[in-house]
Amino acid sequence: PYIPSAVIDTLEPCIKDYEPRTALDGGADGLDAYRILFKEGRRFLAPGGSVVCEIGSDQGETAPAVAKEAGFVCRVLKDYSGNCRIAVAEPEKER
């Protein structure tokens, strides 16, 4: 869920009417799930592990900032259309 709450009702019907709201709604800025994931994720990682997640195409700077606040180094990968779509975060001390 990485879509800002206020944007959900503007999505195409094939998305907003098909997916459960909890699968879409990322809170006011779309980053709520990432805050939890990066805050809690470290304790579930094996040594050398990474947190890898899909991000909104407009979150190429904000998602890594959230990861950094939680002590991760994050890089963003682009999809075949050139849009930022994947965040790969590693705990800072392991890099």
Side-chain angles (χ1 to χ4, degrees):
Y2 55 79
I3 300 169
S5 302
V7 174
I8 293 174
D9 290 333
T10 68
L11 297 173
E12 294 290 324
C14 65
I15 297 171
K16 71 177 182 177
D17 297 339
Y18 175 74
E19 296 288 343
R21 190 165 183 106
T22 56
L24 302 172
D25 195 336
D29 63 358
L31 299 169
D32 287 356
Y34 300 123
R35 288 185 182 92
I36 296 167
L37 183 63
F38 292 125
K39 180 181 177 190
E40 302 295 330
R42 180 185 306 261
R43 64 189 172 116
F44 296 101
L45 289 178
S50 300
V51 175
V52 180
C53 52
E54 181 182 12
I55 61 173
S57 60
D58 61 344
Q59 294 173 330
E61 292 182 16
T62 53
V66 169
K68 184 176 181 176
E69 289 174 10
F72 285 84
V73 174
C74 186
R75 60 191 167 99
V76 174
L77 305 177
K78 294 183 178 184
D79 64 15
Y80 292 123
S81 296
N83 297 310
C84 297
R85 295 304 291 179
I86 304 292
V88 180
E90 300 169 348
E92 277 190 59
K93 65 181 177 184
E94 291 187 23
R95 284 199 93 198

Coordinates of all heavy atoms in Angstrom, one line a residue:
P1 N 0.8 -1.2 0.0 CA 0.0 0.0 0.0 C 0.9 1.3 0.0 O 1.5 1.6 1.0 CB -0.8 -0.1 1.3 CG -0.1 -1.1 2.1 CD 0.8 -1.9 1.2
Y2 N 1.0 1.9 -1.1 CA 1.8 3.1 -1.2 C 1.1 4.3 -1.9 O 1.7 5.3 -2.2 CB 3.1 2.7 -2.0 CG 2.9 2.2 -3.4 CD1 2.5 3.0 -4.5 CD2 3.0 0.8 -3.6 CE1 2.3 2.4 -5.7 CE2 2.8 0.3 -4.9 CZ 2.5 1.1 -5.9 OH 2.3 0.5 -7.2
I3 N -0.2 4.2 -2.0 CA -0.9 5.3 -2.6 C -1.5 6.2 -1.5 O -2.1 5.7 -0.5 CB -2.1 4.7 -3.4 CG1 -1.5 3.8 -4.5 CG2 -2.9 5.9 -4.0 CD1 -2.5 3.0 -5.3
P4 N -1.3 7.5 -1.6 CA -1.8 8.4 -0.6 C -3.3 8.3 -0.5 O -4.0 8.1 -1.5 CB -1.4 9.8 -1.2 CG -0.2 9.6 -2.0 CD -0.4 8.2 -2.6
S5 N -3.9 8.3 0.7 CA -5.3 8.2 0.9 C -6.2 9.0 0.0 O -7.2 8.6 -0.5 CB -5.6 8.5 2.4 OG -4.9 7.6 3.2
A6 N -5.8 10.3 -0.1 CA -6.6 11.2 -0.9 C -6.7 10.9 -2.4 O -7.5 11.4 -3.1 CB -6.1 12.7 -0.7
V7 N -5.8 10.1 -2.9 CA -5.7 9.8 -4.3 C -6.5 8.6 -4.7 O -6.8 8.4 -5.9 CB -4.2 9.6 -4.7 CG1 -4.0 9.2 -6.1 CG2 -3.4 10.9 -4.4
I8 N -6.8 7.7 -3.8 CA -7.4 6.4 -4.1 C -8.7 6.6 -4.9 O -8.9 5.8 -5.9 CB -7.6 5.6 -2.8 CG1 -6.2 5.2 -2.2 CG2 -8.5 4.4 -3.1 CD1 -6.3 4.5 -0.9
D9 N -9.5 7.5 -4.5 CA -10.8 7.6 -5.2 C -10.6 8.2 -6.6 O -11.6 8.1 -7.4 CB -11.8 8.6 -4.4 CG -12.3 7.9 -3.2 OD1 -12.3 6.6 -3.1 OD2 -12.6 8.6 -2.2
T10 N -9.4 8.6 -7.0 CA -9.2 9.1 -8.4 C -8.6 8.0 -9.3 O -8.4 8.3 -10.5 CB -8.3 10.3 -8.4 OG1 -6.9 9.9 -8.0 CG2 -8.8 11.4 -7.4
L11 N -8.3 6.9 -8.7 CA -7.7 5.8 -9.5 C -8.7 5.2 -10.5 O -9.9 5.3 -10.3 CB -7.2 4.7 -8.6 CG -6.1 5.1 -7.6 CD1 -5.8 3.9 -6.6 CD2 -4.8 5.5 -8.3
E12 N -8.2 4.5 -11.5 CA -9.0 3.8 -12.4 C -9.9 2.8 -11.7 O -9.5 2.2 -10.8 CB -8.2 3.1 -13.5 CG -7.4 4.0 -14.3 CD -8.2 4.8 -15.3 OE1 -9.2 4.2 -15.8 OE2 -7.9 5.9 -15.6
P13 N -11.2 2.7 -12.2 CA -12.1 1.7 -11.5 C -11.5 0.3 -11.4 O -11.7 -0.4 -10.5 CB -13.3 1.7 -12.4 CG -13.3 3.1 -13.0 CD -11.9 3.4 -13.2
C14 N -10.7 -0.1 -12.4 CA -10.2 -1.5 -12.4 C -9.2 -1.6 -11.3 O -8.9 -2.8 -10.9 CB -9.5 -1.8 -13.8 SG -8.1 -0.8 -14.2
I15 N -8.7 -0.6 -10.7 CA -7.8 -0.6 -9.5 C -8.6 -0.4 -8.2 O -8.7 -1.2 -7.4 CB -6.7 0.3 -9.6 CG1 -5.8 0.0 -10.8 CG2 -5.8 0.3 -8.4 CD1 -4.8 1.1 -11.2
K16 N -9.3 0.8 -8.1 CA -9.9 1.2 -6.9 C -11.1 0.3 -6.6 O -11.4 0.1 -5.4 CB -10.3 2.6 -6.9 CG -11.5 3.0 -7.8 CD -11.8 4.4 -7.7 CE -13.0 4.7 -8.6 NZ -13.5 6.0 -8.5
D17 N -11.8 -0.3 -7.6 CA -12.9 -1.1 -7.3 C -12.6 -2.6 -7.2 O -13.5 -3.4 -6.8 CB -14.0 -0.9 -8.4 CG -14.5 0.5 -8.4 OD1 -14.4 1.2 -7.4 OD2 -15.1 0.9 -9.5
Y18 N -11.4 -3.0 -7.5 CA -11.0 -4.4 -7.5 C -10.1 -4.7 -6.2 O -10.4 -5.7 -5.6 CB -10.2 -4.7 -8.8 CG -9.6 -6.1 -8.8 CD1 -10.4 -7.2 -9.0 CD2 -8.3 -6.3 -8.6 CE1 -9.9 -8.5 -9.0 CE2 -7.7 -7.6 -8.6 CZ -8.6 -8.7 -8.8 OH -8.1 -9.9 -8.8
E19 N -9.2 -3.9 -6.0 CA -8.3 -4.1 -4.8 C -8.9 -3.7 -3.5 O -9.6 -2.6 -3.5 CB -7.0 -3.3 -5.0 CG -6.1 -3.7 -6.2 CD -5.5 -5.1 -6.0 OE1 -5.4 -5.6 -4.9 OE2 -5.1 -5.7 -7.1
P20 N -8.7 -4.4 -2.4 CA -9.2 -4.0 -1.1 C -8.5 -2.6 -0.8 O -7.3 -2.5 -1.1 CB -8.7 -5.1 -0.2 CG -8.3 -6.2 -1.0 CD -8.0 -5.7 -2.4
R21 N -9.2 -1.7 -0.1 CA -8.6 -0.5 0.2 C -7.3 -0.6 1.0 O -6.3 0.1 0.8 CB -9.6 0.4 0.9 CG -9.1 1.8 1.1 CD -10.2 2.8 1.5 NE -9.7 4.1 1.6 CZ -9.9 5.1 0.7 NH1 -10.7 4.8 -0.4 NH2 -9.4 6.3 0.8
T22 N -7.2 -1.6 1.9 CA -6.0 -1.8 2.7 C -4.8 -2.2 1.8 O -3.7 -2.0 2.3 CB -6.2 -2.9 3.8 OG1 -6.7 -4.1 3.1 CG2 -7.3 -2.4 4.8
A23 N -5.0 -2.7 0.6 CA -3.9 -3.0 -0.3 C -3.4 -1.8 -1.0 O -2.3 -1.9 -1.6 CB -4.4 -4.1 -1.3
L24 N -4.2 -0.7 -1.0 CA -3.8 0.5 -1.7 C -3.4 1.6 -0.8 O -2.5 2.4 -1.1 CB -5.0 1.0 -2.5 CG -5.6 0.0 -3.5 CD1 -6.8 0.5 -4.1 CD2 -4.6 -0.3 -4.6
D25 N -4.1 1.8 0.3 CA -4.0 3.0 1.2 C -2.7 3.0 2.0 O -2.5 2.3 2.9 CB -5.2 3.1 2.1 CG -5.4 4.4 2.7 OD1 -4.4 5.2 2.8 OD2 -6.5 4.7 3.1
G26 N -1.8 4.0 1.6 CA -0.6 4.1 2.3 C -0.5 5.3 3.3 O 0.5 5.8 3.7
G27 N -1.7 5.8 3.6 CA -1.8 7.0 4.6 C -1.7 8.3 3.8 O -1.7 8.3 2.6
A28 N -1.5 9.3 4.6 CA -1.6 10.7 4.0 C -0.6 10.9 2.9 O -0.8 11.5 1.9 CB -1.4 11.7 5.1
D29 N 0.7 10.4 3.1 CA 1.7 10.6 2.0 C 2.1 9.3 1.3 O 3.0 9.3 0.5 CB 3.0 11.2 2.7 CG 3.6 10.3 3.7 OD1 3.1 9.2 4.0 OD2 4.7 10.7 4.2
G30 N 1.4 8.2 1.6 CA 1.6 7.0 0.9 C 2.8 6.2 1.5 O 3.1 5.2 0.9
L31 N 3.4 6.6 2.6 CA 4.6 6.0 3.1 C 4.4 5.3 4.4 O 5.4 4.8 5.0 CB 5.7 7.1 3.2 CG 6.1 7.8 1.9 CD1 7.0 9.0 2.2 CD2 6.8 6.8 1.0
D32 N 3.2 5.2 4.9 CA 3.0 4.6 6.2 C 3.5 3.1 6.3 O 4.2 2.8 7.3 CB 1.5 4.5 6.6 CG 1.0 5.9 7.0 OD1 1.8 6.9 7.0 OD2 -0.3 6.0 7.2
A33 N 3.3 2.3 5.3 CA 3.7 0.9 5.3 C 5.2 0.9 5.3 O 5.8 0.0 6.0 CB 3.1 0.2 4.1
Y34 N 5.9 1.8 4.6 CA 7.4 1.8 4.5 C 7.9 2.1 5.9 O 9.0 1.6 6.3 CB 7.9 2.7 3.5 CG 7.4 2.4 2.1 CD1 6.7 3.3 1.3 CD2 7.6 1.2 1.5 CE1 6.2 3.1 0.1 CE2 7.2 0.9 0.2 CZ 6.5 1.8 -0.5 OH 6.1 1.5 -1.7
R35 N 7.3 3.0 6.6 CA 7.8 3.4 7.9 C 7.8 2.2 8.8 O 8.8 2.0 9.5 CB 7.0 4.5 8.5 CG 7.2 5.9 7.8 CD 6.4 7.0 8.5 NE 6.7 8.2 7.7 CZ 5.9 8.7 6.8 NH1 4.8 8.0 6.4 NH2 6.2 9.8 6.1
I36 N 6.8 1.4 8.8 CA 6.7 0.2 9.6 C 7.7 -0.8 9.1 O 8.4 -1.4 9.9 CB 5.3 -0.4 9.6 CG1 4.3 0.6 10.2 CG2 5.2 -1.7 10.3 CD1 2.8 0.3 10.0
L37 N 7.7 -1.0 7.8 CA 8.6 -2.0 7.2 C 10.1 -1.8 7.5 O 10.8 -2.7 7.9 CB 8.4 -2.1 5.7 CG 9.2 -3.1 4.9 CD1 8.8 -4.5 5.3 CD2 9.0 -2.9 3.4
F38 N 10.5 -0.5 7.4 CA 11.9 -0.3 7.6 C 12.2 -0.2 9.1 O 13.3 -0.6 9.6 CB 12.3 1.0 6.9 CG 12.3 1.0 5.5 CD1 11.6 1.8 4.7 CD2 13.1 0.0 4.8 CE1 11.6 1.8 3.3 CE2 13.1 -0.1 3.4 CZ 12.3 0.8 2.7
K39 N 11.3 0.2 9.9 CA 11.5 0.3 11.4 C 11.6 -1.2 11.9 O 12.4 -1.4 12.8 CB 10.3 1.0 12.0 CG 10.5 1.1 13.5 CD 9.3 1.9 14.2 CE 9.5 1.9 15.7 NZ 8.3 2.4 16.3
E40 N 10.7 -2.0 11.5 CA 10.6 -3.4 12.1 C 11.4 -4.4 11.2 O 11.7 -5.5 11.7 CB 9.1 -3.8 12.2 CG 8.3 -2.9 13.0 CD 8.7 -2.9 14.5 OE1 9.2 -3.9 15.0 OE2 8.5 -1.8 15.1
G41 N 11.6 -4.1 10.0 CA 12.2 -5.1 9.1 C 13.6 -5.6 9.4 O 13.9 -6.8 9.2
R42 N 14.4 -4.8 10.0 CA 15.8 -5.2 10.3 C 15.8 -6.5 11.2 O 16.7 -7.3 11.0 CB 16.5 -4.1 11.1 CG 17.9 -4.4 11.5 CD 18.5 -3.2 12.3 NE 18.4 -1.9 11.6 CZ 19.3 -1.3 10.9 NH1 20.5 -1.9 10.8 NH2 19.1 -0.2 10.4
R43 N 14.9 -6.6 12.1 CA 15.0 -7.8 13.0 C 14.6 -9.1 12.3 O 14.8 -10.2 12.8 CB 14.2 -7.6 14.3 CG 12.7 -7.4 14.0 CD 12.0 -7.0 15.4 NE 10.7 -6.7 15.2 CZ 9.7 -7.3 15.7 NH1 9.9 -8.3 16.5 NH2 8.4 -7.0 15.5
F44 N 14.0 -9.0 11.1 CA 13.7 -10.2 10.4 C 14.7 -10.6 9.3 O 14.5 -11.6 8.6 CB 12.3 -10.0 9.7 CG 11.2 -9.8 10.7 CD1 10.7 -8.6 11.0 CD2 10.7 -10.9 11.4 CE1 9.7 -8.4 12.0 CE2 9.7 -10.8 12.4 CZ 9.2 -9.5 12.6
L45 N 15.6 -9.7 9.1 CA 16.6 -10.0 8.0 C 17.7 -10.9 8.5 O 18.2 -10.8 9.6 CB 17.3 -8.7 7.6 CG 16.4 -7.7 6.8 CD1 17.2 -6.4 6.5 CD2 15.9 -8.3 5.5
A46 N 18.1 -11.8 7.6 CA 19.3 -12.6 7.8 C 20.5 -11.8 7.6 O 20.4 -10.7 6.9 CB 19.3 -13.8 6.8
P47 N 21.6 -12.1 8.1 CA 22.8 -11.3 7.8 C 23.0 -11.2 6.3 O 22.9 -12.1 5.6 CB 24.0 -12.2 8.5 CG 23.3 -13.0 9.6 CD 21.9 -13.3 9.0
G48 N 23.3 -10.0 5.9 CA 23.5 -9.7 4.5 C 22.2 -9.5 3.7 O 22.2 -9.3 2.5
G49 N 21.0 -9.6 4.4 CA 19.7 -9.5 3.8 C 19.3 -8.0 3.4 O 19.9 -7.1 3.9
S50 N 18.4 -7.9 2.6 CA 17.9 -6.6 2.1 C 16.3 -6.6 2.2 O 15.7 -7.6 2.1 CB 18.2 -6.3 0.7 OG 19.6 -6.4 0.5
V51 N 15.8 -5.4 2.4 CA 14.4 -5.2 2.2 C 14.1 -4.7 0.8 O 14.7 -3.7 0.4 CB 13.9 -4.1 3.2 CG1 12.4 -3.8 3.0 CG2 14.1 -4.6 4.7
V52 N 13.3 -5.4 0.1 CA 13.0 -5.0 -1.3 C 11.5 -4.8 -1.4 O 10.7 -5.7 -1.1 CB 13.5 -6.1 -2.3 CG1 13.2 -5.8 -3.7 CG2 15.0 -6.4 -2.1
C53 N 11.1 -3.7 -1.9 CA 9.7 -3.4 -2.1 C 9.3 -2.6 -3.3 O 10.2 -1.8 -3.7 CB 9.1 -2.8 -0.8 SG 10.0 -1.4 -0.2
E54 N 8.1 -2.7 -3.7 CA 7.6 -1.9 -4.8 C 7.3 -0.5 -4.2 O 6.8 -0.4 -3.1 CB 6.4 -2.5 -5.4 CG 5.8 -1.7 -6.5 CD 4.5 -2.3 -7.1 OE1 4.0 -3.3 -6.5 OE2 4.1 -1.9 -8.2
I55 N 7.6 0.5 -5.0 CA 7.2 1.9 -4.6 C 6.5 2.6 -5.7 O 6.5 2.1 -6.8 CB 8.5 2.7 -4.2 CG1 9.4 2.8 -5.4 CG2 9.2 2.1 -3.0 CD1 10.6 3.8 -5.2
G56 N 5.8 3.6 -5.3 CA 5.1 4.4 -6.3 C 6.1 5.1 -7.2 O 7.2 5.5 -6.8
S57 N 5.8 5.4 -8.5 CA 6.7 6.0 -9.4 C 7.2 7.4 -9.0 O 8.2 7.9 -9.4 CB 6.1 6.0 -10.8 OG 5.0 6.8 -10.8
D58 N 6.4 8.0 -8.1 CA 6.8 9.3 -7.6 C 7.4 9.3 -6.2 O 7.6 10.3 -5.6 CB 5.5 10.2 -7.5 CG 4.5 9.7 -6.6 OD1 4.5 8.5 -6.2 OD2 3.6 10.5 -6.2
Q59 N 7.8 8.1 -5.7 CA 8.4 7.9 -4.4 C 9.9 7.6 -4.5 O 10.5 7.1 -3.5 CB 7.6 6.9 -3.6 CG 6.2 7.3 -3.3 CD 5.4 6.2 -2.7 OE1 5.6 5.0 -3.0 NE2 4.4 6.6 -1.9
G60 N 10.6 7.9 -5.6 CA 12.0 7.6 -5.7 C 12.9 8.3 -4.8 O 14.0 7.9 -4.6
E61 N 12.4 9.4 -4.3 CA 13.2 10.1 -3.3 C 12.7 10.0 -1.9 O 13.5 9.9 -0.9 CB 13.3 11.6 -3.6 CG 14.1 11.9 -4.9 CD 14.2 13.4 -5.2 OE1 13.9 14.2 -4.4 OE2 14.5 13.7 -6.4
T62 N 11.4 9.9 -1.7 CA 10.8 9.9 -0.4 C 10.9 8.5 0.3 O 11.2 8.4 1.5 CB 9.3 10.3 -0.4 OG1 8.6 9.5 -1.4 CG2 9.2 11.8 -0.8
A63 N 10.8 7.4 -0.5 CA 10.9 6.1 0.2 C 12.3 5.9 0.7 O 12.5 5.4 1.8 CB 10.5 5.0 -0.8
P64 N 13.4 6.2 -0.1 CA 14.7 6.1 0.4 C 15.0 7.0 1.6 O 15.7 6.6 2.5 CB 15.6 6.5 -0.7 CG 14.8 6.2 -2.0 CD 13.4 6.5 -1.6
A65 N 14.3 8.1 1.7 CA 14.5 9.0 2.9 C 13.9 8.3 4.1 O 14.5 8.4 5.2 CB 13.8 10.4 2.6
V66 N 12.8 7.7 4.0 CA 12.2 6.9 5.1 C 13.1 5.8 5.5 O 13.3 5.5 6.7 CB 10.8 6.4 4.7 CG1 10.3 5.4 5.7 CG2 9.8 7.5 4.5
A67 N 13.7 5.1 4.5 CA 14.6 4.0 4.8 C 15.8 4.5 5.6 O 16.3 3.9 6.6 CB 15.1 3.3 3.5
K68 N 16.4 5.7 5.2 CA 17.5 6.3 5.8 C 17.2 6.6 7.3 O 18.1 6.4 8.1 CB 18.0 7.5 5.0 CG 19.2 8.1 5.6 CD 19.7 9.3 4.8 CE 21.0 9.8 5.4 NZ 21.6 10.9 4.6
E69 N 16.0 7.2 7.5 CA 15.6 7.5 8.9 C 15.7 6.2 9.8 O 15.9 6.4 11.0 CB 14.2 8.1 8.9 CG 14.1 9.5 8.4 CD 12.7 10.0 8.3 OE1 11.8 9.3 8.8 OE2 12.5 11.0 7.6
A70 N 15.4 5.1 9.2 CA 15.4 3.8 10.0 C 16.8 3.1 10.0 O 16.9 2.0 10.4 CB 14.4 2.9 9.4
G71 N 17.8 3.8 9.4 CA 19.2 3.2 9.4 C 19.5 2.3 8.3 O 20.4 1.5 8.4
F72 N 18.8 2.5 7.1 CA 19.1 1.7 5.9 C 19.7 2.6 4.9 O 19.5 3.8 4.8 CB 17.8 1.2 5.3 CG 17.2 0.0 6.1 CD1 16.4 0.2 7.2 CD2 17.5 -1.3 5.7 CE1 15.9 -0.9 7.9 CE2 17.0 -2.4 6.4 CZ 16.2 -2.1 7.5
V73 N 20.5 2.0 4.0 CA 21.0 2.6 2.8 C 20.1 2.1 1.7 O 19.9 0.9 1.6 CB 22.5 2.3 2.5 CG1 22.9 2.8 1.2 CG2 23.3 2.8 3.6
C74 N 19.5 2.9 0.9 CA 18.5 2.5 -0.1 C 18.9 3.0 -1.5 O 19.3 4.1 -1.7 CB 17.2 3.1 0.3 SG 15.8 2.5 -0.7
R75 N 18.7 2.1 -2.4 CA 18.8 2.5 -3.8 C 17.5 2.1 -4.5 O 16.8 1.3 -4.1 CB 20.0 1.7 -4.5 CG 19.9 0.3 -4.5 CD 21.2 -0.4 -5.0 NE 21.2 -1.8 -4.7 CZ 21.0 -2.7 -5.6 NH1 20.7 -2.4 -6.8 NH2 21.0 -4.0 -5.2
V76 N 17.3 2.9 -5.6 CA 16.0 2.7 -6.3 C 16.3 2.2 -7.7 O 17.2 2.7 -8.4 CB 15.2 4.1 -6.4 CG1 14.0 4.0 -7.2 CG2 14.9 4.5 -5.0
L77 N 15.5 1.2 -8.1 CA 15.6 0.6 -9.4 C 14.4 1.1 -10.3 O 13.3 1.3 -9.8 CB 15.6 -0.9 -9.4 CG 16.7 -1.5 -8.5 CD1 16.5 -3.0 -8.4 CD2 18.1 -1.1 -8.9
K78 N 14.7 1.2 -11.6 CA 13.6 1.7 -12.5 C 13.0 0.5 -13.2 O 13.7 -0.5 -13.5 CB 14.2 2.7 -13.5 CG 14.6 4.0 -12.8 CD 15.0 5.0 -13.7 CE 15.4 6.3 -13.0 NZ 15.8 7.4 -13.9
D79 N 11.8 0.6 -13.6 CA 11.1 -0.4 -14.4 C 11.5 -0.2 -15.9 O 12.3 0.7 -16.2 CB 9.6 -0.4 -14.2 CG 8.9 0.9 -14.7 OD1 9.5 1.7 -15.4 OD2 7.8 1.0 -14.3
Y80 N 11.0 -1.0 -16.8 CA 11.3 -0.9 -18.2 C 10.9 0.4 -18.9 O 11.3 0.7 -19.9 CB 10.8 -2.1 -19.0 CG 11.5 -3.4 -18.6 CD1 10.8 -4.5 -18.1 CD2 12.9 -3.5 -18.7 CE1 11.4 -5.7 -17.8 CE2 13.5 -4.7 -18.3 CZ 12.8 -5.8 -17.9 OH 13.4 -6.9 -17.5
S81 N 10.0 1.1 -18.2 CA 9.5 2.4 -18.7 C 10.3 3.5 -18.2 O 10.0 4.7 -18.5 CB 8.0 2.6 -18.4 OG 7.2 1.6 -19.0
G82 N 11.3 3.2 -17.3 CA 12.1 4.3 -16.8 C 11.6 4.9 -15.5 O 12.1 5.9 -15.0
N83 N 10.5 4.3 -14.9 CA 9.9 4.9 -13.7 C 10.6 4.2 -12.5 O 10.8 3.0 -12.5 CB 8.4 4.6 -13.7 CG 7.7 5.3 -14.8 OD1 7.9 6.5 -15.0 ND2 6.9 4.5 -15.5
C84 N 10.8 5.0 -11.4 CA 11.2 4.4 -10.2 C 10.2 3.5 -9.6 O 9.0 3.9 -9.4 CB 11.5 5.6 -9.2 SG 12.8 6.7 -9.7
R85 N 10.5 2.2 -9.4 CA 9.5 1.3 -9.0 C 9.9 0.3 -7.8 O 9.1 -0.3 -7.2 CB 9.0 0.4 -10.1 CG 8.3 1.2 -11.2 CD 7.2 2.0 -10.7 NE 6.1 1.1 -10.3 CZ 4.9 1.4 -9.8 NH1 4.7 2.7 -9.6 NH2 4.0 0.6 -9.5
I86 N 11.2 0.2 -7.6 CA 11.7 -0.8 -6.6 C 12.7 -0.1 -5.7 O 13.6 0.5 -6.1 CB 12.4 -2.0 -7.3 CG1 11.5 -2.7 -8.3 CG2 12.9 -3.0 -6.2 CD1 10.3 -3.4 -7.7
A87 N 12.5 -0.3 -4.4 CA 13.4 0.2 -3.4 C 14.2 -1.0 -2.8 O 13.5 -2.0 -2.4 CB 12.7 0.9 -2.3
V88 N 15.5 -1.0 -2.8 CA 16.3 -2.0 -2.2 C 17.1 -1.4 -1.1 O 17.9 -0.5 -1.3 CB 17.3 -2.6 -3.3 CG1 18.1 -3.7 -2.7 CG2 16.5 -3.1 -4.5
A89 N 16.8 -1.8 0.1 CA 17.4 -1.2 1.3 C 18.2 -2.2 2.1 O 17.7 -3.3 2.3 CB 16.3 -0.6 2.2
E90 N 19.4 -1.8 2.5 CA 20.3 -2.7 3.3 C 20.6 -1.9 4.6 O 20.8 -0.7 4.6 CB 21.5 -3.0 2.5 CG 21.3 -3.7 1.2 CD 22.6 -3.7 0.4 OE1 23.6 -3.0 0.7 OE2 22.6 -4.4 -0.6
P91 N 20.7 -2.6 5.7 CA 21.1 -2.0 7.0 C 22.4 -1.3 6.8 O 23.3 -1.8 6.2 CB 21.2 -3.1 8.0 CG 20.2 -4.2 7.4 CD 20.4 -4.0 5.9
E92 N 22.5 -0.1 7.3 CA 23.8 0.7 7.1 C 25.0 0.0 7.5 O 26.0 0.1 6.8 CB 23.6 2.1 7.8 CG 22.9 3.1 7.1 CD 23.0 4.4 7.7 OE1 24.1 5.0 7.9 OE2 21.9 5.0 8.1
K93 N 25.0 -0.6 8.7 CA 26.2 -1.2 9.2 C 26.8 -2.4 8.4 O 27.9 -2.8 8.5 CB 26.1 -1.7 10.6 CG 25.0 -2.7 10.8 CD 24.9 -3.1 12.3 CE 23.8 -4.1 12.5 NZ 23.6 -4.4 13.8
E94 N 25.9 -2.9 7.5 CA 26.4 -4.0 6.7 C 27.0 -3.6 5.4 O 27.5 -4.5 4.6 CB 25.2 -5.0 6.4 CG 24.7 -5.7 7.7 CD 23.7 -6.7 7.4 OE1 23.6 -7.2 6.3 OE2 23.0 -7.1 8.3
R95 N 27.0 -2.4 5.0 CA 27.5 -1.9 3.7 C 28.9 -1.6 3.8 O 29.5 -1.3 4.7 CB 26.7 -0.8 3.2 CG 25.4 -1.2 2.7 CD 24.8 -0.3 1.8 NE 25.2 -0.7 0.5 CZ 25.2 0.1 -0.6 NH1 24.8 1.4 -0.4 NH2 25.6 -0.3 -1.8

